[in-house]
């Protein structure tokens, strides 16, 4: 049996994708819509207070295309908190005018392939910041789930630790050449959801997603061992953009 890599886990993550029921939303009176929006903005403010207290983080983005209209990505200390906030949102008037289309449950994960031997990662402030990150307010988000292949000669899980480390080094080198242009959050979901990892990328330029993901496709870690689910891409929603989106 190959040795499993040690992983470090941080905050739990929920990616909640919804469409908006525009026909029902349009049937509301302007007052009813305003009330529903006020309630939504109160909830958004509560989430940003939680972020300020460093007890979690929330990202709110539109989704372009027909897979969803928006995503709320939440990070929290526990699965219970994620469930509570999901239910609190579902009880709002605005949520009544949305339909869930996809969700993903995972946990922020760092693997130790590149860890410096003899150091305690939990004492490293950079590592702690990556495990419990404040989600960036970049203009764009990209999310997709992925697996590492387990078929025939292409089985990631039968590779030795050294082989996997070499692949991850090469993978990390490509990633690092995008430093400053993209922020990636890898969340592990083995035992939590249908795929093995969620990949969430943030950038001010959506073309960077295409360039980065394309370049990685040629790297063996992705070319030979990567399997990918559906891609979701979208634009940052601040309070003003949210009002614009919901105005009829
Ligand atoms: O933590 C580190 O910086 C070490 C290097 C590193 C690891 C171990 C790293 C760097 N990643 C690691 C692990 Mn990654 N990553 C992806 C995708 O689309 C694709 O082909 C793959 C999706 C992207 C875009 C990406 C970006 N990475 C992982 C793992 C877990 C593997 C395991 O444990 O077996 C997955 C599934 C995964 C997938 N990666 C980076 C990036 C970027 C941009 C970096 C550089 C980060 C930086 O140095 O700032």
């Amino acid at each position: 049996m190959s040795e499993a890599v040690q992983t470090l886990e941080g905050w739990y993550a929920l990616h909640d994708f919804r469409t908006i029921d525009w026909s029902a939303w349009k049937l509301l009176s302007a007052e009813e819509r305003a009330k529903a929006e006020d309630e939504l903005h109160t909830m958004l403010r509560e989430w940003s207070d939680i972020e300020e207290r460093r007890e979690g983080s929330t990202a709110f983005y539109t989704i372009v295309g027909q897979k969803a209209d928006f995503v709320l990505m939440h990070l929290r200390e526990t699965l219970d908190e994620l469930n509570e906030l999901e239910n609190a949102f579902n009880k709002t008037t605005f949520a009544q005018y949305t339909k869930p289309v996809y969700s993903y449950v995972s946990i922020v994960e760092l693997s130790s392939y590149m860890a410096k031997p003899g150091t305690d990662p939990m004492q490293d402030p950079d590592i702690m910041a990556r495990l419990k990150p404040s989600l960036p307010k970049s203009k764009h988000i990209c999310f997709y789930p992925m697996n590492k292949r387990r078929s025939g000669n292409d089985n990631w899980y039968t590779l030795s630790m050294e082989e996997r480390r070499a692949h991850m080094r090469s993978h990390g080198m490509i990633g690092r050449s995008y430093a400053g242009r993209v922020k990636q959050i890898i969340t592990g979901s083995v035992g939590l959801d249908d795929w093995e990892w969620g990949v969430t990328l943030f950038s001010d330029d959506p073309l960077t997603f295409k360039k980065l993901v394309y370049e990685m496709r040629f790297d063996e870690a992705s070319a030979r061992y990567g399997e990918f689910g559906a891609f979701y891409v979208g634009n940052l929603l601040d309070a003003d953009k949210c009002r614009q989106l919901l105005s009829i």
Side-chain angles (χ1 to χ4, degrees):
M1 192 182 105
S2 302
E3 186 192 342
V5 68
Q6 294 301 311
T7 53
L8 297 171
E9 278 77 22
W11 276 335
Y12 282 90
L14 172 66
H15 292 71
D16 183 348
F17 293 87
R18 310 262 175 150
T19 53
I20 297 168
D21 183 348
W22 289 114
S23 345
W25 182 247
K26 282 206 276 195
L27 285 177
L28 289 180
S29 69
E31 293 72 45
E32 284 168 320
R33 277 197 301 268
K35 217 171 144 225
E37 280 186 54
D38 282 349
E39 194 188 7
L40 171 65
H41 287 282
T42 305
M43 191 157 270
L44 290 171
R45 275 193 300 273
E46 278 169 24
W47 293 336
S48 71
D49 290 345
I50 287 176
E51 189 159 305
E52 266 165 42
R53 295 200 299 272
R54 305 273 312 117
E55 291 167 359
S57 186
T58 292
F60 189 23
Y61 284 78
T62 62
I63 294 295
V64 184
Q66 295 177 356
K67 289 178 189 140
D69 286 325
F70 67 88
V71 61
L72 282 164
M73 174 183 180
H74 301 289
L75 299 179
R76 292 293 184 276
E77 193 68 46
T78 64
L79 208 49
D80 302 70
E81 283 166 81
L82 282 182
N83 208 186
E84 273 163 32
L85 80 83
E86 178 185 25
N87 289 330
F89 178 69
N90 281 334
K91 287 175 198 168
T92 64
T93 307
F94 173 66
Q96 252 174 270
Y97 298 91
T98 69
K99 289 189 188 136
V101 282
Y102 187 59
S103 71
Y104 206 76
V105 177
S106 53
I107 185 165
V108 180
E109 177 190 291
L110 288 178
S111 60
S112 60
Y113 287 118
M114 300 299 140
K116 295 176 209 101
T119 55
D120 177 1
M122 294 320 242
Q123 302 304 321
D124 183 334
D126 290 344
I127 288 184
M128 290 316 289
R130 289 177 65 187
L131 288 173
K132 299 182 174 189
S134 273
L135 295 170
K137 304 289 175 268
S138 308
K139 288 187 192 151
H140 305 282
I141 193 171
C142 170
F143 170 81
Y144 53 100
M146 69 172 288
N147 288 338
K148 283 285 163 76
R149 187 164 293 137
R150 262 184 293 130
S151 77
N153 288 327
D154 298 336
N155 190 331
W156 179 257
Y157 296 91
T158 54
L159 295 179
S160 68
M161 175 69 91
E162 288 65 38
E163 287 168 308
R164 278 175 284 132
R165 181 174 292 124
H167 284 305
M168 290 326 288
R169 183 173 296 119
S170 161
H171 165 85
M173 297 279 275
I174 298 176
R176 266 172 222 166
S177 70
Y178 286 81
R181 284 184 286 158
V182 67
K183 179 156 174 62
Q184 106 279 19
I185 296 184
I186 301 300
T187 52
S189 42
V190 172
L192 300 176
D193 214 321
D194 299 343
W195 295 77
E196 294 171 348
W197 289 278
V199 179
T200 313
L201 307 174
F202 295 91
S203 178
D204 284 334
D205 180 1
L207 200 50
T208 310
F209 299 142
K210 181 177 183 293
K211 301 279 183 203
L212 167 63
V213 174
Y214 188 65
E215 194 177 341
M216 285 189 171
R217 288 291 156 99
F218 291 90
D219 183 57
E220 223 172 337
S222 300
R224 193 162 173 194
Y225 298 104
E227 286 176 350
F228 303 93
F231 280 66
Y232 295 81
V233 67
N235 309 325
L236 182 68
L237 271 174
D238 56 22
D240 283 348
K241 291 235 171 75
C242 179
R243 277 192 195 93
Q244 234 172 292
L245 171 72
L246 296 177
S247 84
I248 296 298

